[in-house]
Amino acid sequence: NGLFLESTGNPIIRHSNGLVFEDSDGTDRVYFADGGNVGIGTNAPSDVLEVNAGTSNGGLTVRSSTDNAWVTIDAPADEAAILNIQEAGTTKWQIYRELNDSNLTFYDNAAGSPAMTIKSNSGSVGIGTIAPEAKLSVVQNNTSQSSIQIRQDGTGDANLWFSLGATTLFSIGVDNSDADKFKIASGHELETSTRLTIDTSGNVGIGTTDPEAKLSVVGSISATGDIALNDGGSITEGDG
């Protein structure tokens, strides 16, 4: 059938509708199909390169001991560059650069829509949208809530910082060390320099982290308009 090499009685290279490299026990390892496709672990490669690990874990490693290492997916400008993530032959996710577009998109095949897009040049991120209008845009088009969750499973706080340059000016979040109160603070520590506190009963404290009424203010109040007291309400002067 063509080229046929043996080593100690076992063929190592043979031609059988393509070029086949075997190991010493006669198992096909690398297959060059007549059409040019290459199979590693398969003798029926469906793409230019197909790697099949069979029942073992499968991986692809690109390693350099002295310099950078990378994998490139290149396509012309009017075609998409795509990475398919499959389960048992069915594509579940796609990561791609869209044709005539430099944005990077994560596509959820089950939902039939993009899950996340990173805009080129600006770096803006869209979740649920391919046209983010800010550094982070979250869009949901159904009857569910459109939410962002900040979660802390340990003993630290769940908070969000607001900074100008390297300086954090304000932070908001839940103070895990103070009865899970919601706080607005100067700086990034909710426990110090607290400006406003809402406890789990709904009481609000300004200038205090321990509000004893619906609104507790420690300090002076300045008002240019009216202060209305409804249903027999009153203003009580506290100690100090």
Side-chain angles (χ1 to χ4, degrees):
N1 290 328
L3 181 65
F4 189 91
L5 300 180
E6 289 186 357
S7 175
T8 63
N10 293 317
I12 57 173
I13 303 176
R14 61 185 171 81
H15 184 276
S16 177
N17 297 320
L19 189 63
V20 182
F21 288 74
E22 299 179 353
D23 62 14
S24 58
D25 66 3
T27 302
D28 293 352
R29 293 303 182 187
V30 182
Y31 181 84
F32 293 84
D34 284 342
N37 291 351
V38 178
I40 300 176
T42 176
N43 59 9
S46 58
D47 287 296
V48 174
L49 173 63
E50 181 175 342
V51 180
N52 189 337
T55 58
S56 303
N57 291 328
L60 179 64
T61 301
V62 179
R63 180 181 292 114
S64 173
S65 59
T66 60
D67 210 333
N68 299 323
W70 62 84
V71 175
T72 299
I73 302 175
D74 189 10
D78 57 350
E79 297 292 343
I82 304 172
L83 175 64
N84 289 329
I85 300 174
Q86 297 187 335
E87 177 184 299
T90 300
T91 299
K92 298 295 184 177
W93 287 87
Q94 292 179 307
I95 304 173
Y96 58 82
R97 179 209 36 90
E98 185 60 270
L99 58 130
N100 297 315
D101 190 346
S102 296
N103 301 333
L104 183 66
T105 297
F106 294 73
Y107 189 87
D108 182 355
N109 276 48
S113 60
M116 183 175 73
T117 296
I118 304 174
K119 297 285 286 185
S120 64
N121 299 323
S122 68
S124 297
V125 177
I127 299 177
T129 176
I130 60 173
E133 299 177 0
K135 276 298 181 183
L136 175 62
S137 295
V138 180
V139 176
Q140 191 156 305
N141 185 18
N142 54 30
T143 57
S144 301
Q145 295 181 0
S146 181
S147 305
I148 298 176
Q149 181 183 41
I150 300 175
R151 175 172 169 171
Q152 168 62 265
D153 287 340
T155 59
D157 299 333
N159 58 1
L160 183 65
W161 298 1
F162 298 89
S163 305
L164 291 177
T167 303
T168 299
L169 299 178
F170 289 95
S171 59
I172 61 174
V174 177
D175 187 350
N176 205 352
S177 65
D178 189 12
D180 299 336
K181 295 172 183 175
F182 180 83
K183 295 181 178 180
I184 300 176
S186 297
H188 62 271
E189 296 290 343
L190 294 177
E191 297 85 354
T192 60
S193 301
T194 304
R195 301 307 181 207
L196 183 143
T197 299
I198 305 175
D199 66 20
T200 54
S201 298
N203 293 341
V204 178
I206 299 175
T208 176
T209 60
D210 189 23
E212 298 177 350
K214 282 299 180 184
L215 175 62
S216 295
V217 180
V218 175
S220 301
I221 298 176
S222 175
T224 58
D226 297 333
I227 297 178
L229 302 178
N230 298 321
D231 298 328
S234 62
I235 297 177
T236 304
E237 181 179 357
D239 296 336

